[in-house]
């Protein structure tokens, strides 16, 4: 598993798509610092920056770029053959890749969210956002990793989920929030550090259970899907 982890991390940081991760977190940090330095009331800039940008854009988009890339890119360019020919159980391939995707996503999103949370309210809010973002990173990564194994257009479908399901429908159709990872993250963060800056109709028990179900369920799906791949990298 350590070999797969190393190969995945090296491949991820060696691809140009990794450079796509940098602008969004920097924009989040820049806006938080700017608003704080100008003395803008956190109640005015907190929700749009922390939730509207941080949890609704930075976290899921970073997870989408990384989650679909740790295995999907290898399938596209054919290098997955080298892994599939190894006498390894498929879970020993999926879990290290999921760990790398989750770790990189968590760090990339949690650090700017922590700083923005501290600037907006307190260290407690910053830690709450970072912790909830880490859990969200796991759920998003499992979902997007599985998506890269069940479709040839994982990025497109991932964007549909993030922008339309969570972004558009989530704001107008309350029932869709129960199936929104973004809402789970908001609920968990608000439970750790209650504040008027974070609001959601999803309860903490529902958020906790659904986060676990999404993480485990899509990981199992990814493992099962990878078992159906032939040496040529195509589904059998």
């Amino acid at each position: 598993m350590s070999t797969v982890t190393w190969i995945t991390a090296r491949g991820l940081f060696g691809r140009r798509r990794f450079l796509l991760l940098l602008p969004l977190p920097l924009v989040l940090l820049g806006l938080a610092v700017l608003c704080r330095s100008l003395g803008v009331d956190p109640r005015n800039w907190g929700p749009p920056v922390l939730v509207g940008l941080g949890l609704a854009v930075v976290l899921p988009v970073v997870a989408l770029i990384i989650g679909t890339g740790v295995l999907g890119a290898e399938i596209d360019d054919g290098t997955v053959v080298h892994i599939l020919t190894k006498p390894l159980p498929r879970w020993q391939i999926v879990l290290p890749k999921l760990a790398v995707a989750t770790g990189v996503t968590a760090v990339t999103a949690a650090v700017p969210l922590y700083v923005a949370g501290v600037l907006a309210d307190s260290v407690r809010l910053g830690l709450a956002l970072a912790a909830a973002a880490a859990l969200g990173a796991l759920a998003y990564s499992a979902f997007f990793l599985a998506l890269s194994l069940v479709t040839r257009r994982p990025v497109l479908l991932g964007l549909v989920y993030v922008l339309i399901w969570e972004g558009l429908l989530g704001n107008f159709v309350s029932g869709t929030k129960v199936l929104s990872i973004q809402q789970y993250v908001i609920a968990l963060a608000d439970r750790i550090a209650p504040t008027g800056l974070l609001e959601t109709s999803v309860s903490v028990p529902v958020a906790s259970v659904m986060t676990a179900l999404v993480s485990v369920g899509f990981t199992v799906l990814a493992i099962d899907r990878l078992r159906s791949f032939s040496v040529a990298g195509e589904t059998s």
Side-chain angles (χ1 to χ4, degrees):
M1 292 179 65
S2 59
T3 302
V4 176
T5 302
W6 166 248
I7 293 174
T8 302
R10 184 178 62 182
L12 178 63
F13 288 102
R15 294 192 180 104
R16 290 184 178 180
R17 71 165 52 196
F18 181 73
L19 297 177
L20 298 175
L21 306 180
L22 301 179
L24 287 176
L26 291 177
V27 170
L28 174 60
L29 280 174
L31 286 176
V33 172
L34 180 62
C35 291
R36 178 61 182 266
S37 63
L38 293 177
V40 181
D41 190 333
R43 289 174 296 182
N44 293 329
W45 68 265
V49 172
L50 298 177
V51 178
L53 178 60
L55 299 182
V57 178
V58 176
L59 176 59
V61 171
V62 168
L64 176 62
I65 294 172
I66 299 175
T68 57
V70 290
L71 193 53
E74 294 176 354
I75 294 174
D76 291 339
D77 61 25
T79 56
V80 70
V81 172
H82 301 294
I83 297 178
L84 294 177
T85 54
K86 302 291 184 182
L88 291 174
R90 293 305 184 242
W91 66 268
Q92 290 189 12
I93 297 175
V94 171
L95 293 187
K97 290 184 174 295
L98 176 61
V100 171
T102 301
V104 175
T105 300
V107 171
T108 305
V111 171
L113 279 169
Y114 168 77
V115 175
V118 171
L119 294 175
D121 187 76
S122 63
V123 172
R124 183 179 179 183
L125 177 59
L127 292 174
L129 287 170
L135 293 174
L138 174 60
Y140 274 123
S141 296
F143 175 49
F144 293 136
L145 175 59
L147 205 59
S148 70
L149 290 169
V150 300
T151 177
R152 294 182 179 276
R153 302 181 185 275
V155 175
L156 176 61
L157 293 180
L159 285 174
V160 169
Y161 173 77
V162 172
L163 299 179
I164 297 181
W165 183 269
E166 290 193 329
L168 183 60
L169 295 180
N171 291 325
F172 298 101
V173 183
S174 59
T176 61
K177 293 183 178 181
V178 180
L179 297 177
S180 170
I181 298 174
Q182 175 195 142
Q183 296 300 318
Y184 308 156
V185 175
I186 296 174
L188 294 173
D190 191 49
R191 175 64 179 84
I192 299 172
T195 173
L197 300 178
L198 305 175
E199 295 182 359
T200 181
S201 59
V202 177
S203 66
V204 174
V206 170
S208 302
V209 172
M210 290 302 294
T211 299
L213 287 177
V214 169
S215 302
V216 175
F218 282 103
T219 299
V220 172
L221 174 61
I223 294 172
D224 180 70
R225 185 64 175 173
L226 191 59
R227 289 196 183 104
S228 68
F229 273 62
S230 66
V231 173
E234 302 289 341
T235 54
S236 58

